[in-house]
Amino acid sequence: MPRPTRRQHLIEVAIDLFNQYGYHATGIDLILEKAKVSKRTLYVHFRSKDELILAALRHYDGLFRNHFMTQVEKTAKTPVERLLAVYQVAQEWFMQNNFYGCMFINAIGEYSATDSAIRQVCKEFKALIRDYIEGLCAELAAPDPAGLAEELGLLFEGAIVTAQVSQQKSRAAQTAKTAATALIDNALAERSDRT
Amino acid sequence: MPRPTRRQHLIEVAIDLFNQYGYHATGIDLILEKAKVSKRTLYVHFRSKDELILAALRHYDGLFRNHFMTQVEKTAKTPVERLLAVYQVAQEWFMQNNFYGCMFINAIGEYSATDSAIRQVCKEFKALIRDYIEGLCAELAAPDPAGLAEELGLLFEGAIVTAQVSQQKSRAAQTAKTAATALIDNALAERSDRT
DNA sequence: GACAAGGTAAACTAATCTGTTTACCATCGC
DNA sequence: GCGATGGTAAACAGATTAGTTTACCTTGTC
């Protein structure tokens, strides 16, 4: 693997800093200092700070979803196991010492204007996560895969926020997993009721 | 009711602006302009912007919890009904046109330092909400009221975040309510299993 | 009517912010 | 060797930030 381009390096450093300190609080100068890159170079690759934020969000989107799905599929085989593995992988994510909550949730807290591009990217990320869960629910042959996925998605988001706020990370993930088990069982019971 | 003191007025204006634009992005000058108060007066009542933020969070904490619990207890009588009413009241909250997610979740996104007072206030708020839910679960005589409360709390937080991000507010609240019903039924079924 | 309390308006400091510009330097392909 | 590419370092512009200070005004109370 060749050493990353300056553009990519800037994005990676920016992701770390945005997560830790937030978007407005992280100045361009801090990013440049940590990345050991000149200001000139940053503005060659990105028109503005907002564009760097967008690039960081998009890059993290790909990185995160790829890692997450790979991890889920590696550790579990059946749809049910995979749905539960989601919360196991989430737990490992929470336990990282540079976990500062969800990058996209934090971003929307600072950029709530409905027409902002940043907001749009966050919305799309969450939709894709939900779609992934929905796919697993569909494999389950749950009667209402979209409905079950929405419920499991709420548990996922709730676990992220609770891990971030309460700092009881493994408890939040474990509780979500327990609740998910109950909701899945419930959905499958309805299926067998009908047949 | 006497007209509010300048201190209180400043806090109320600050709450609105912090919610809409975030904490770092909301400048002192904007608050002063909207509140029609001089800078001198603000710094008589608050030592710094951070102290204004803290006062805003504490004030909102009281306001929100009072409103929320009052509303729940007004619209439902039995513990089960009240647990479900939580999501009904949440839905009404989401539907307000000045809903920008949870003030405390947004705050922690910008102030993640573990020793920060702001962070501490957010953590306490969430713990109090959870305690309220746990009280209702205890009245249910659920076998594990703390566990059930944690699960229902995850659904609550998840609904807030999802309503904020997806903008499908009533859907998020409705899904949380449906999932909560299943989790409560499940907890009560375990109780009757044992007896 | 005098005085104190609490307010406004505005100038000011000093730091920090994003973004631009200038001048220079290293490295690689030809 | 030569020039293009892509980089650094640093000065600079202009706006904006939090916070302080000075001078003045308004209002209720004795």
Side-chain angles (χ1 to χ4, degrees):
Chain A
M1 195 160 32
R3 92 142 108 81
T5 66
R6 288 271 190 317
R7 182 187 158 87
Q8 201 175 342
H9 182 230
L10 275 168
I11 288 178
E12 285 163 5
V13 170
I15 287 173
D16 272 357
L17 294 173
F18 288 148
N19 277 325
Q20 180 162 7
Y21 301 112
Y23 298 84
H24 287 93
T26 301
I28 290 287
D29 288 348
L30 178 62
I31 297 173
L32 297 174
E33 189 191 324
K34 296 269 177 185
K36 295 203 198 309
V37 160
S38 75
K39 192 177 269 196
R40 183 74 158 71
T41 302
L42 185 143
Y43 281 101
V44 165
H45 290 292
F46 306 97
R47 284 194 184 160
S48 64
K49 183 183 179 182
D50 270 23
E51 215 177 74
L52 172 59
I53 293 176
L54 272 174
L57 289 170
R58 294 206 174 103
H59 183 75
Y60 188 77
D61 174 19
L63 224 62
F64 181 91
R65 294 210 330 278
N66 180 59
H67 168 82
F68 201 81
M69 297 173 187
T70 303
Q71 215 56 19
V72 166
E73 275 145 41
K74 188 195 295 176
T75 60
K77 296 302 164 194
T78 72
V80 183
E81 283 168 0
R82 282 182 175 171
L83 279 173
L84 296 179
V86 161
Y87 302 95
Q88 198 62 45
V89 176
Q91 174 164 348
E92 283 154 26
W93 170 36
F94 300 163
M95 302 296 282
Q96 285 169 18
N97 54 9
N98 64 340
F99 169 76
Y100 296 100
C102 169
M103 189 172 187
F104 302 91
I105 295 176
N106 293 347
I108 255 189
E110 295 196 47
Y111 300 90
S112 60
T114 45
D115 55 347
S116 102
I118 292 175
R119 208 205 140 87
Q120 203 59 32
V121 170
C122 297
K123 192 173 163 179
E124 282 163 18
F125 169 81
K126 293 297 183 188
L128 287 170
I129 291 286
R130 222 205 49 124
D131 287 350
Y132 177 65
I133 297 179
E134 187 171 332
L136 293 176
C137 291
E139 289 186 55
L140 266 189
D144 176 13
L148 179 58
E150 181 94 3
E151 295 181 7
L152 297 179
L154 293 189
L155 286 176
F156 185 68
E157 304 296 342
I160 296 169
V161 167
T162 302
Q164 180 187 16
V165 176
S166 78
Q167 291 284 72
Q168 303 205 8
K169 303 174 176 188
S170 60
R171 186 176 206 271
Q174 211 52 50
T175 303
K177 192 177 179 181
T178 305
T181 307
L183 292 177
I184 294 167
D185 284 355
N186 190 62
L188 295 186
E190 279 178 25
R191 180 186 56 180
S192 59
D193 281 353
R194 290 202 206 154
T195 51
Chain B
M1 193 159 33
R3 93 140 107 82
T5 66
R6 292 260 187 330
R7 183 187 159 87
Q8 201 175 341
H9 180 57
L10 274 168
I11 289 177
E12 286 164 5
V13 170
I15 288 173
D16 272 358
L17 295 174
F18 288 149
N19 277 324
Q20 179 161 7
Y21 301 112
Y23 297 84
H24 287 91
T26 302
I28 290 287
D29 288 350
L30 179 62
I31 298 173
L32 297 174
E33 189 191 323
K34 295 270 177 186
K36 293 203 200 310
V37 160
S38 75
K39 193 177 269 197
R40 183 75 158 69
T41 302
L42 185 144
Y43 281 101
V44 165
H45 290 291
F46 306 96
R47 283 195 185 161
S48 64
K49 184 183 178 182
D50 271 22
E51 214 177 74
L52 172 60
I53 293 175
L54 272 175
L57 288 170
R58 295 206 174 101
H59 184 74
Y60 187 77
D61 174 20
L63 223 63
F64 181 90
R65 295 211 329 278
N66 180 61
H67 168 81
F68 201 81
M69 297 173 187
T70 303
Q71 214 59 16
V72 166
E73 275 145 41
K74 190 195 293 177
T75 59
K77 296 302 164 195
T78 72
V80 183
E81 283 169 359
R82 281 181 176 171
L83 278 173
L84 296 179
V86 162
Y87 302 95
Q88 197 63 46
V89 176
Q91 175 164 348
E92 283 154 25
W93 170 35
F94 300 164
M95 301 297 281
Q96 286 169 18
N97 54 9
N98 63 340
F99 170 75
Y100 296 100
C102 169
M103 188 171 188
F104 301 92
I105 295 176
N106 293 347
I108 256 189
E110 295 196 47
Y111 300 90
S112 61
T114 45
D115 55 346
S116 102
I118 291 174
R119 208 206 140 88
Q120 203 58 32
V121 171
C122 297
K123 192 173 164 179
E124 282 163 17
F125 169 81
K126 292 298 183 188
L128 288 170
I129 291 285
R130 220 206 51 122
D131 288 350
Y132 176 64
I133 297 179
E134 186 170 334
L136 293 176
C137 290
E139 289 186 54
L140 266 189
D144 177 13
L148 179 58
E150 181 93 4
E151 296 182 6
L152 297 179
L154 292 189
L155 286 176
F156 185 68
E157 305 297 342
I160 296 170
V161 167
T162 301
Q164 180 187 15
V165 176
S166 79
Q167 291 283 71
Q168 303 205 7
K169 302 174 177 188
S170 60
R171 186 177 207 272
Q174 210 54 49
T175 303
K177 192 177 178 181
T178 305
T181 308
L183 292 177
I184 293 168
D185 285 355
N186 189 62
L188 295 186
E190 279 179 24
R191 179 185 57 181
S192 59
D193 282 351
R194 290 204 206 155
T195 51

